[in-house]
Amino acid sequence: MASSDVKLIGAWASPFVMRPRIALNLKSVPYEFLQETFGSKSELLLKSNPVHKKIPVLLHADKPVCESNIIVEYIDDTWSSSGPSLLPSDPYDRAMARFWAAYIDEKWFVVLRSFLKAGGEEEKKSVIAQLEEGNAFLEKAFIDCSKGKPFFNGDNIGYLDIALGCFLAWLRVTELAASHKILDEAKTPSLSKWAENFCNDPAVKPVMPETAKLAEFAKKIFPRPEA
Amino acid sequence: MAERSNSEEVKLLGMWASPFSRRIEIALTLKGVSYEFLEQDITNKSSLLLQLNPVNKMIPVLVHNGKPISESLVILEYIDETWRDNPILPQDPYERTMARFWSKFVDEQIYVTAMKVVGKTGKERDAVVEATRDLLMFLEKELVGKDFLGGKSLGFVDIVATLVAFWLMRTEEIVGVKVVPVEKFPEIHRWVKNLLGNDVIKKCIPPEDEHLKYIRARMEKLNIKSA
């Protein structure tokens, strides 16, 4: 299929955009990356995602697909014969992957994002405590899902690895801002090892933003509140 | 009809007035799956619920052969993948993706926005009603030329959107605000009639009188002014 058949509207710093990029890489699907300018929304984006007006949007033969985790499932379904499956085959295991992905977006990431907006020390401490509690859940989830293999999805990166792993660069930026290790090998050894494996994966490396560059960007979009 | 149900144990921890619980009952009933319903008191959560859903502590929870699954959309996909009769998700990857997109839209946009009406009066309430109507317009447009959101027959999105048909629209009577007037939303009204023509839907939605009483009591408790 010609690469012009698959386009992705996104931005380099967005963890949500990283998700379909990793999925497309895992399936060896070439695509055209249409980078949005921060602070404005292109006509194409507004036309392709009139409901949410957000990135990422996958355009497959001009048909738009929106919502990052939904796009990942679409990629898995559409290019099912290419590369390993992104979701397990057993319905219960699939349900676990979807459950944890929903948890990550609705609870874990909401807390992570709130740190960079948090005001005083007390608020920051509370956010860190919540994140660490979440990490404890995810450590157990990883042990249950991976069944001794390196990734949530087993031998290969999959839907849930992508759902969580996309936030690792932002997590590191938050750790820098907090001067505190949030993902701690001592507390969550399996999750920490997983994070390392995830970041080193060839499908992930090219699209994971550099921590320093992301930290600079974060300063721009989350100006520090007055002390 | 599949013979497996005799040896399988299916339990549902739910709540009679919850749209998230009822949608699971609809799916199980559509597929002819027998289940044991365990009514939960959500104001005083049982140790069983807390044990089976320690992360979110919410209903519904489906328990299949002793293994728990939480989050209604995750449960619905699990049900569709496990009991293959009368599929509720489309086969085509793009259609399946759109079904997931609209279901997420109902739960994360329509429901969340509509719930903001709690405790609001006057101009603030009007703003919430306007915002809810803007979102409902997307569903209205989706229904043009279709009997159901799933097309010719009841599907995944219809099951999820019973939240609109039998919860949001039932609330109108009590709150005294016609959020979904028939002049503005003729397709949605036509769709509700089509839903009521389906025996499974009729059987699985809460009985109207009891439900209205419950909603009235809940609104009073949450301090929503009635007309």
Side-chain angles (χ1 to χ4, degrees):
Chain A
M1 229 174 255
S3 62
S4 56
D5 203 32
V6 184
K7 298 184 171 83
L8 184 74
I9 309 175
W12 68 273
S14 162
F16 301 102
V17 170
M18 260 186 83
R19 290 173 173 171
R21 296 187 82 182
I22 297 170
L24 290 165
N25 287 351
L26 286 164
K27 299 283 186 179
S28 308
V29 175
Y31 64 97
E32 192 185 343
F33 187 54
L34 302 171
Q35 183 114 234
E36 288 285 298
T37 311
F38 180 71
S40 73
K41 296 183 194 227
S42 69
E43 274 305 305
L44 182 63
L45 173 60
L46 297 175
K47 189 185 77 162
S48 310
N49 190 358
V51 176
H52 301 292
K53 307 176 177 59
K54 283 185 176 170
I55 50 166
V57 180
L58 182 82
L59 291 162
H60 184 200
D62 296 323
K63 285 194 297 192
V65 183
C66 309
E67 298 290 285
S68 59
N69 282 338
I70 293 177
I71 300 173
V72 171
E73 283 214 60
Y74 175 77
I75 291 168
D76 197 32
D77 279 347
T78 305
W79 289 279
S80 52
S81 50
S82 173
S85 193
L86 301 180
L87 275 165
S89 49
D90 174 72
Y92 188 76
D93 294 338
R94 291 161 75 87
M96 288 305 100
R98 291 185 178 123
F99 171 83
W100 286 112
Y103 168 79
I104 286 159
D105 278 0
E106 290 160 29
K107 305 263 163 77
W108 191 86
F109 173 64
V110 172
V111 177
L112 178 68
R113 190 180 54 193
S114 74
F115 181 86
L116 292 167
K117 291 185 187 167
E121 282 309 307
E122 279 311 304
E123 207 185 329
K124 285 187 196 164
K125 272 196 196 138
S126 159
V127 170
I128 290 179
Q130 286 175 72
L131 271 175
E132 289 181 342
E133 187 187 75
N135 286 351
F137 278 135
L138 293 172
E139 172 83 358
K140 180 166 189 300
F142 177 76
I143 292 166
D144 291 342
C145 296
S146 63
K147 305 187 222 267
K149 301 276 170 84
F151 298 106
F152 283 93
N153 197 41
D155 288 313
N156 303 293
I157 282 182
Y159 176 86
L160 183 52
D161 299 278
I162 293 170
L164 181 60
C166 68
F167 293 119
L168 290 170
W170 277 103
L171 182 65
R172 276 189 234 120
V173 167
T174 308
E175 287 180 333
L176 282 174
S179 307
H180 178 92
K181 237 187 180 307
I182 298 170
L183 186 62
D184 188 343
E185 313 87 75
K187 295 182 182 155
T188 53
S190 306
L191 203 62
S192 301
K193 185 79 190 110
W194 162 81
E196 204 188 304
N197 289 334
F198 182 84
C199 292
N200 286 329
D201 192 277
V204 174
K205 260 189 161 149
V207 298
M208 177 80 82
E210 283 166 30
T211 309
K213 193 177 174 197
L214 198 61
E216 269 310 301
F217 180 72
K219 284 201 188 101
K220 246 196 330 188
I221 62 173
F222 294 113
R224 302 311 285 143
E226 297 307 311
Chain B
M1 212 166 279
E3 257 310 310
R4 288 151 69 194
S5 41
N6 291 336
S7 55
E8 289 181 351
E9 196 191 48
V10 183
K11 294 190 211 239
L12 177 64
L13 278 78
M15 195 264 165
W16 73 276
S18 157
F20 305 102
S21 172
R22 289 284 179 165
R23 61 175 60 156
I24 307 304
E25 297 204 77
I26 293 169
L28 289 169
T29 308
L30 273 169
K31 293 192 178 249
V33 178
S34 339
Y35 60 98
E36 187 189 349
F37 186 73
L38 302 170
E39 179 77 38
Q40 299 297 301
D41 179 355
I42 51 178
T43 61
N44 182 17
K45 295 179 183 184
S46 68
S47 53
L48 180 68
L49 175 58
L50 298 176
Q51 178 209 339
L52 294 174
N53 189 359
V55 177
N56 296 325
K57 309 175 173 61
M58 296 206 314
I59 54 103
V61 181
L62 186 78
V63 188
H64 185 204
N65 293 333
K67 295 200 286 193
I69 301 138
S70 311
E71 289 298 292
S72 65
L73 296 182
V74 175
I75 299 171
L76 287 176
E77 294 228 30
Y78 176 81
I79 289 171
D80 209 33
E81 289 172 9
T82 304
W83 293 280
R84 314 288 269 201
D85 285 345
N86 303 329
I88 53 183
L89 269 172
Q91 290 289 47
D92 172 71
Y94 190 74
E95 310 257 318
R96 197 152 58 228
T97 289
M98 290 317 293
R100 289 183 179 128
F101 175 84
W102 287 116
S103 302
K104 203 163 182 243
F105 177 75
V106 168
D107 281 2
E108 293 182 7
Q109 302 297 319
I110 297 179
Y111 174 70
V112 170
T113 301
M115 284 299 281
K116 288 184 182 161
V117 81
V118 174
K120 294 209 173 67
T121 51
K123 279 214 176 86
E124 274 189 332
R125 184 168 82 175
D126 291 346
V128 171
V129 171
E130 261 323 290
T132 308
R133 283 188 185 149
D134 287 344
L135 296 171
L136 286 166
M137 261 311 158
F138 286 111
L139 283 192
E140 177 74 8
K141 290 197 189 111
E142 272 304 296
L143 282 165
V144 171
K146 290 168 152 178
D147 288 337
F148 295 98
L149 289 160
K152 288 205 185 82
S153 54
L154 201 80
F156 196 88
V157 189
D158 298 280
I159 296 171
V160 172
T162 51
L163 183 154
V164 172
F166 306 113
W167 276 265
L168 197 160
M169 288 167 81
R170 280 185 177 175
T171 314
E172 289 184 321
E173 253 203 65
I174 289 139
V175 178
V177 180
K178 272 252 166 260
V179 181
V180 196
V182 62
E183 326 80 68
K184 284 202 164 90
F185 299 98
E187 304 292 341
I188 289 183
H189 280 260
R190 183 176 59 83
W191 165 71
V192 174
K193 285 204 181 82
N194 289 343
L195 287 175
L196 287 169
N198 181 287
D199 287 336
V200 173
I201 296 284
K202 271 202 296 239
K203 183 180 174 208
C204 293
I205 57 176
E208 192 161 11
D209 290 338
E210 262 182 83
H211 195 196
L212 291 175
K213 267 199 213 116
Y214 175 83
I215 294 173
R216 189 167 278 122
R218 197 142 183 263
M219 295 284 153
E220 259 149 31
K221 211 172 164 202
L222 294 172
N223 209 258
I224 296 177
K225 308 272 179 270
S226 356

